[in-house]
Amino acid sequence: MTSDYFPCAVFSIDFPFFFFFVLHQMRKTVRKLAKCFPTAIVSGRCRDKVYNFVKLAELYYAGSHGMDIKGPEKGSKSNKDTESVLFQPASEFLPMIDEVYKQLVETTKSTPGAKVENNKFCLSVHFRCVDEKKWSELAQQVKSVLKDYPKLRLTQGRKVLEIRPTIKWDKGKALEFLLESLGFANCTDVFPVYIGDDRTDEDAFKILRDRGQGFGILVSKFPKDTNASYSLQEPDEVMDFLRRLVEWKELSLRTQSRM
Ligand SMILES: *[C@@H]1O[C@H](CO)[C@@H](O)[C@H](O)[C@H]1NC(C)=O
Ligand SMILES: *[C@@H]1O[C@H](CO)[C@@H](O)[C@H](O)[C@H]1NC(C)=O
């Protein structure tokens, strides 16, 4: 492999695997990695939340399952205007989502424990703290708001109702868009690595498999049905892998400069 042959790393950062270990030693390694290769974090969560958690200006961030992608901050760190929004495929939905958010807050007020969260490109109605007897009533309340918005889709997660635009968009599409916006769309010498532990990461693994380019790495303690090419068992192994990537790049740079 030449040193030009590995320019892209993409991580998924959804619960539970990434959150806790980014917090600790991981940040230093990821920062070094981003110096060597374009590095992106993809998450189901809202981009600002992910950024506030990771706090690395060097990275690309794709929040809301990749519906909100932003490149590394350029120029001075203090100037927020220098951040570059790359892509928001659902931006036309923003006013509608804000409107529905307000209506949901109003409508669900009468259900104690219900919590409406605005994740910018999607809304969540959490019912973890709602009395089980009230669940169907809450679902009805949410549906009654949504009946006027056919362009929004309702799905149910773990003790949460999720509302998002009906556009076809997933982490696989986000990965493709990232590669394109980095100018790698048609490059054959690019080797994207996508690391993730969530079911929603399968869309990204499948893209790499279909393109025959790079590989996906599933992080899982147990064997799982997956379209990733490799697996690592736990965050420590991921970190070790990333460290080796950095070492390999530094070594190849040193070798080059000697020639
Ligand atoms: C990549 O290739 C496709 C099909 O050959 C072409 O339509 C597209 O414009 C190319 N993209 C870039 C960025 O060169
Ligand atoms: C892997 O890809 C195949 C072919 O597209 C698909 O049928 C299968 O469901 C995928 N596996 C997972 C775990 O997503």
Side-chain angles (χ1 to χ4, degrees), residues 225-236:
D225 185 24
T226 179
N227 279 308
S229 306
Y230 298 97
S231 72
L232 291 169
Q233 286 204 8
E234 49 194 18
D236 274 349

Side-chain angles (χ1 to χ4, degrees), residues 38-165:
T39 301
I41 284 182
V42 180
S43 175
R45 280 151 196 276
C46 122
R47 179 167 49 74
D48 290 345
K49 278 185 198 156
V50 177
Y51 182 84
N52 286 338
F53 185 81
V54 178
K55 291 198 181 82
L56 287 173
E58 297 87 341
L59 307 186
Y60 290 81
Y61 291 87
S64 307
H65 291 279
M67 279 198 272
D68 187 9
I69 300 178
K70 199 180 234 182
E73 282 174 35
K74 298 187 182 73
S76 84
K77 274 185 188 145
S78 55
N79 188 354
K80 280 223 155 200
D81 295 339
T82 56
E83 294 178 13
S84 47
V85 170
L86 284 175
F87 198 50
Q88 296 184 332
S91 52
E92 55 176 309
F93 290 92
L94 284 179
M96 185 192 289
I97 288 174
D98 275 343
E99 205 176 288
V100 172
Y101 171 70
K102 287 185 195 123
Q103 288 189 31
L104 284 175
V105 169
E106 199 52 41
T107 314
T108 60
K109 248 195 219 155
S110 58
T111 308
K115 183 168 170 276
V116 186
E117 189 182 12
N118 191 343
N119 288 315
K120 197 162 174 184
F121 289 92
C122 49
L123 301 171
S124 312
V125 181
H126 299 273
F127 56 90
R128 189 178 303 278
C129 302
V130 173
D131 185 350
E132 205 169 331
K133 286 188 214 111
K134 294 263 183 186
W135 286 2
S136 66
E137 187 184 315
L138 180 68
Q140 279 314 316
Q141 288 171 342
V142 172
K143 281 181 195 156
S144 73
V145 170
L146 288 183
K147 73 177 185 329
D148 297 329
Y149 298 93
K151 286 186 174 168
L152 298 179
R153 182 161 58 102
L154 179 68
T155 56
Q156 185 170 342
R158 275 170 55 85
K159 307 223 167 143
V160 62
L161 297 167
E162 288 181 314
I163 295 118
R164 65 178 63 171

